[in-house]
């Protein structure tokens, strides 16, 4: 409630600041006329901020001679970019269409370049246009290209994503067998990219042995994440809702009887992506309102949270694994300062990887070795300066050396006349007169900075870590100063890809990794590094101490909250549907017999539902072997994971009147069809190009109106209910069941008593029809799919069967 309350206050504050010129009523009758006159002369955001200029000039993120080009690029709108889904069935068709059609047509429209592939992205699957999103929406000559982007993005064939946002997953070096976690995943573009890598070169009807866990702290953003990733149609994904800095490890005792079956006692990952929440000033080109809101406090306020998330990511990483830390910020306090503190805490157990030879066409700049901290108009070169000036919110890890300064009484009285000016100089009569910035001895040049004017992108920061061995345990005595500073900190910050954090919303959080309340100290096989202030926080936390209470004494609000926390750790996540293995043998046997599912397909123990009552199950989801092991581990560990979405929707109960009377009430979903089809032997019919086109066009066709006699005969032998129609390529005969490969095109249908109806959404039908037209016309000048038999289908006889076409959102996530 506290976080939401702060958000509302902030919104009200912003509303007050901008309301008087628009909303305030005035008795002066001439005022509305004046307002209309002003509104007609509306001006865009002023792309200027004096504090921004002063700060980054002093930090030296670009050379002085580049400053004008740097600022000019920041003031221009960001060109739109997108990525082709490499695992899509039509990926090569889309690439050809972009190269052959849109590249030429957009040049004719008046743009010298139009669109181009990004040379540094593998296999030319990433593209960038010379138009901003606003231009795409407003320019009539770009309307067809804009509609193409919207349609393909909604289906999942492409993902609209900022160019530099595609960089972090590329440096993770993800393989098919890797366990990967995206700790701050919403809205999901990078998670989608990771799933593409997991599924790369997968055989038809098979699943990779790896998996992806996508986590986000905000429930609403989790819904957005689910909507984005469901376009991938994968059984290797789990979406969770946790604070990234407290992500549970699902630890199970080593002597548990099920350890030998699972092969693991703790959830660890081969790859970790920490795209942490940040101030977001690297997104100025697409979010110009940041010019008005920017301040140094935005970065100072999230530094400690970023460090917590990164340290938690390393604790979840296997030895030998790789972690990528990234932000969409240019501020060294959020970038190099966090990386430096990670290396100091982890010692030799973690190293910063030099990836300068990877992706050679990607222009990047080395990380900074020296920087200063600014707070409330004052430049600080070290933590000692912060203590002298009373900046208790500035922590040692923000500085290059990371050395803490103890503010003792002797230090305070040593130079009572010392005072730091806003220009950073000292106004004392002592020996130190010049503010000298510290220089880090760590290999920070291995970090990567991406600046806008290098390749016409946004700004980004990326650092790649390699975990050599288990992390050390750091336990030192804390002091009174750190206790007083850290006990008042607040670490609850909304984690989002926009990284647009207000100074008023964020206070400095503790820079360490806190143990989650209610967990035992042996939650991790690997100890989590704890800073001196963390130990004090744990000692001062009332919920961590044992107490003897009288049975009649009422519990305080804090004690009730702690009890609720313990219940949640045991798996009772209120407002979220449970994850239940589907074990109804009668229903499973009926499904296998109806569709002729082969015994070789791993079917049993791979189906789950979100409803423990099998009589009212609406959807059945399929999970891969790796996800199944994680679910079982989560059960044995007390359901520590709060799972909001899991697996691939494979079957859905047919609730129409005709569906209830069939032998199998569960139909195959469009998402699950590509995985299940190679393992089916029944309820399959091969259609000619003409009939396939008619089904996509008219959605429902009566049996006498089918063009191909063989197809009509085959459909008549199928049982009533769900069936699969496969496009017969090149008009050649096919085996029964047909041989399925990567080029096979199929749709789910419903066979009624007198007609065949398509169970695919309208936009999917439209997109598939367009793809087929292009594909057949490419093979031959006049395609069979454009034959005139379509005229024989009487439109009056075509019945739209909306009750059998599911277009609603299939995501089952309850709001907390």
């Amino acid at each position: 409630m506290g976080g939401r309350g702060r958000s509302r206050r902030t919104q009200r504050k912003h509303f007050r600041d901008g309301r008087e010129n628009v909303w305030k009523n005035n008795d002066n009758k001439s005022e509305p006329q004046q307002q209309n006159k002003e509104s007609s002369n509306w001006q865009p955001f002023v792309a200027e901020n004096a504090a921004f200029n002063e700060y980054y000039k002093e930090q030296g993120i670009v050379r002085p001679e580049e400053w004008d080009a740097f600022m000019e690029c920041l003031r221009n709108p960001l060109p739109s970019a997108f990525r082709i889904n490499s695992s899509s069935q039509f990926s090569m068709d889309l690439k050809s269409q972009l190269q052959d059609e849109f590249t030429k047509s957009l040049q004719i429209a008046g743009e010298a370049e139009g669109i181009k592939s990004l040379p540094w992205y593998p296999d030319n699957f990433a593209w960038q246009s010379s138009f901003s999103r606003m231009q795409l929406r407003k320019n009539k000559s770009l309307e067809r290209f804009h509609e193409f982007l919207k349609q393909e993005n909604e289906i999942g064939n492409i993902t609209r994503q900022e160019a530099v946002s595609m960089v972090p997953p590329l440096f993770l070096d993800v393989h098919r067998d890797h366990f990967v976690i995206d700790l701050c995943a919403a809205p999901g573009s990078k998670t989608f990219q990771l799933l593409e890598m997991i599924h790369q070169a997968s055989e038809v009807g098979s699943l990779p042995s790896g998996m992806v866990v996508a986590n986000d702290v905000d429930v609403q953003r989790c819904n957005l994440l689910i909507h984005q990733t469901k376009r991938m149609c994968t059984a290797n994904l789990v979406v969770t809702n946790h604070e990234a800095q407290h992500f549970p490890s699902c630890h199970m005792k080593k002597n548990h009887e099920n350890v030998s079956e699972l092969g693991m006692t703790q959830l660890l990952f081969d790859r970790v992506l920490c795209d942490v929440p940040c101030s977001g000033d690297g997104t100025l080109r697409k979010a110009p309102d940041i010019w008005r809101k920017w301040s140094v406090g935005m970065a100072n306020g999230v530094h400690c949270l970023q460090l917590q998330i990164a340290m938690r990511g390393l604790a979840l990483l296997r030895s030998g694994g790789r972690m990528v830390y990234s932000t969409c910020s240019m501020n060294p306090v959020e970038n190099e300062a966090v990386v430096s503190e990670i290396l100091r805490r982890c010692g030799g157990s973690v190293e910063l990887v030099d990836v300068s030879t990877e992706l050679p066409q990607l222009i990047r700049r080395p990380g900074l070795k020296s920087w200063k901290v600014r707070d409330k108009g004052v430049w600080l070169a070290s933590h000692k300066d912060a203590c002298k000036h009373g900046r208790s919110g500035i922590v040692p890890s923000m500085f290059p050396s990371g050395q803490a300064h103890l503010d003792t009484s002797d230090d305070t009285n040593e130079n009572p006349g010392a005072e730091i000016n806003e220009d950073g100089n000292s106004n004392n009569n002592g020996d130190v007169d010049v503010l000298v910035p510290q220089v880090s001895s760590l290999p920070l040049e291995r970090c990567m900075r991406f600046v806008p004017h290098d390749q016409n992108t946004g700004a980004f920061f990326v650092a790649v870590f390699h975990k050599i061995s288990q992390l050390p345990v750091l336990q030192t005595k804390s002091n009174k100063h750190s206790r007083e500073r850290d006990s008042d900190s607040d670490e609850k910050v909304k984690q989002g890809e926009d990284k647009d954090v207000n100074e008023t919303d964020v206070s400095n959080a503790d820079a360490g990794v806190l143990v989650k309340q209610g967990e035992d100290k042996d939650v991790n096989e690997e100890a989590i590094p704890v800073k001196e202030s963390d130990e004090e926080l744990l000692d001062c936390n009332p919920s961590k101490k044992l107490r003897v209470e009288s049975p009649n004494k009422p519990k305080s609000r804090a004690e009730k909250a702690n009890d609720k926390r313990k219940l949640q750790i045991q798996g009772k996540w209120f407002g979220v549907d449970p994850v239940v293995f589907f074990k109804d043998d009668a229903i499973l046997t009926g499904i296998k017999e109806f569709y002729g599912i082969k015994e070789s397909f791993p079917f049993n123990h791979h189906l789950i539902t979100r409803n423990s009552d099998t009589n009212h199950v609406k959807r059945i989801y399929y999970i891969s072997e790796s996800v199944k092991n994680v679910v079982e581990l989560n059960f044995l560990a007390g359901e520590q994971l709060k799972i909001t979405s899991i697996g691939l929707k494979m079957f859905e109960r047919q609730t129409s009147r005709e569906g209830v009377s069939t032998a199998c009430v569960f139909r195959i979903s469009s998402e699950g069809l590509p995985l299940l089809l190679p393992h089916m032997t029944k309820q399959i019919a091969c259609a000619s190009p003409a009939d396939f086109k008619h089904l996509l066009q008219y959605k429902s066709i009566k049996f006498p109106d089918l063009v191909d006699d063989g197809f009509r005969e085959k459909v008549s032998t199928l049982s009533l209910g769900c069936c699969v129609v496969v496009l017969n390529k090149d008009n050649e005969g096919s085996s029964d069941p047909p041989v399925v490969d990567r080029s096979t095109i199929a749709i789910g249908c419903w066979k009624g008593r007198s007609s065949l109806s398509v169970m695919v959404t309208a936009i999917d039908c439209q997109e598939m029809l367009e793809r087929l037209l292009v594909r057949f016309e490419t093979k031959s000048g006049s395609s069979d799919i454009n034959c005139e038999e379509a005229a024989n289908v009487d439109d009056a006889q075509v019945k739209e069967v909306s009750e059998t076409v599911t277009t609603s959102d299939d995501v089952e996530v309850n709001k907390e």
Side-chain angles (χ1 to χ4, degrees), residues 589-764:
T589 302
I591 291 176
K592 292 181 69 174
E593 291 180 354
F594 185 78
Y595 296 108
I597 299 175
K598 301 175 183 177
E599 291 295 331
S600 59
F601 182 64
F603 195 69
N604 294 332
H605 308 295
H606 285 263
L607 299 177
I608 63 168
T609 68
R610 306 306 298 267
N611 190 346
S612 56
D613 185 0
T614 56
N615 294 324
H616 296 87
V617 168
K618 294 182 178 180
R619 299 175 182 88
I620 301 176
Y621 298 87
Y622 187 87
I623 56 175
S624 65
E625 182 69 23
S626 54
V627 174
K628 179 177 76 73
N629 291 337
V630 170
V631 172
E632 291 177 346
L633 175 64
N634 187 41
F635 286 148
L636 296 174
E639 295 187 63
Q640 295 180 25
L641 289 179
K642 183 180 179 182
I643 299 174
T644 59
S645 178
I646 185 171
L648 171 68
K649 189 178 71 171
M650 183 70 77
F651 302 105
E652 188 166 10
R653 186 185 292 272
Q654 191 66 21
T655 55
S656 63
R657 182 177 59 184
E658 195 175 39
V660 176
S661 61
T662 61
C664 180
V665 297
F666 283 92
R667 65 177 179 87
I668 303 172
S669 71
S670 298
E671 297 94 320
L673 180 59
L675 177 62
L676 188 62
L677 181 58
H679 306 280
M680 290 175 55
T681 59
K682 298 179 181 178
Q683 293 296 104
I684 305 175
C686 291
S688 65
D691 284 325
F692 202 86
K693 175 197 172 187
H694 294 165
L695 282 170
L696 295 176
Q697 280 183 325
Y698 304 118
K699 309 299 187 298
S700 180
I701 299 180
K702 292 188 178 296
F703 296 150
D705 296 324
L706 296 175
V707 176
D708 185 65
D709 294 336
F711 178 55
R712 189 187 309 111
E713 276 184 39
K714 180 61 180 177
V715 170
S716 64
T717 62
L718 301 179
S719 302
L720 295 179
C722 180
C723 63
V724 179
V725 175
V726 178
L727 174 61
N728 191 0
K729 297 173 292 186
D730 301 324
N731 289 326
E732 61 184 14
S734 60
S735 59
D736 190 13
V739 178
V740 178
D741 56 28
R742 294 186 67 87
S743 64
T744 301
I745 299 175
I747 55 174
C749 295
W750 186 268
K751 184 206 171 181
R753 301 188 184 278
S754 60
S755 63
L756 188 66
S757 305
V758 175
M759 294 190 295
V760 181
T761 60
I763 189 171
D764 284 335

Side-chain angles (χ1 to χ4, degrees), residues 337-409:
V338 175
V339 173
S340 300
E341 184 65 13
I342 291 172
L343 295 175
R344 283 191 291 266
R345 291 191 184 190
C346 298
S349 61
V350 171
E351 66 175 352
L352 198 58
V353 183
D354 183 6
V355 290
S356 57
T357 58
E358 300 181 23
L359 304 178
Q361 291 182 289
L362 178 63
I363 301 176
R364 83 289 303 269
R365 302 191 179 200
L368 303 178
K369 300 277 287 186
S370 176
W371 63 91
K372 292 182 287 187
V373 178
R374 189 173 175 86
D375 183 56
K376 298 179 182 178
V378 177
W379 284 105
L380 309 169
S382 65
H383 189 240
K384 182 178 181 180
D385 294 337
C387 293
K388 285 182 178 180
H389 211 70
R391 300 292 191 247
S392 59
I394 303 300
V395 295
S397 58
M398 293 181 179
F399 297 92
S401 69
Q403 294 178 355
H405 173 72
L406 300 182
D407 191 9
T408 61
S409 58

Side-chain angles (χ1 to χ4, degrees), residues 446-496:
R446 297 179 182 177
C447 301
M448 293 172 286
R449 281 182 164 269
F450 302 92
V451 293
H453 60 290
D454 277 347
Q455 288 185 310
N456 196 16
T457 63
F460 227 80
F461 175 87
V462 177
V464 183
F465 293 93
H466 174 245
K467 187 173 181 179
I468 301 173
S469 60
Q470 292 186 359
L471 304 183
V473 178
L474 306 178
Q475 292 183 350
T476 57
K477 294 182 179 180
S478 62
N479 55 74
K480 182 179 180 181
H481 174 75
S482 64
R483 179 189 307 180
E484 293 174 351
R485 181 186 72 239
D486 293 329
S487 61
D488 296 330
S489 63
D490 182 7
E491 65 191 18
K492 293 183 179 179
V493 181
K494 184 178 180 180
Q495 301 171 19

Side-chain angles (χ1 to χ4, degrees), residues 434-447:
V434 181
L435 185 71
V436 180
Q438 299 173 344
V439 178
S440 176
S441 60
L442 298 170
L444 299 180
E445 66 279 359
R446 297 179 182 177
C447 301

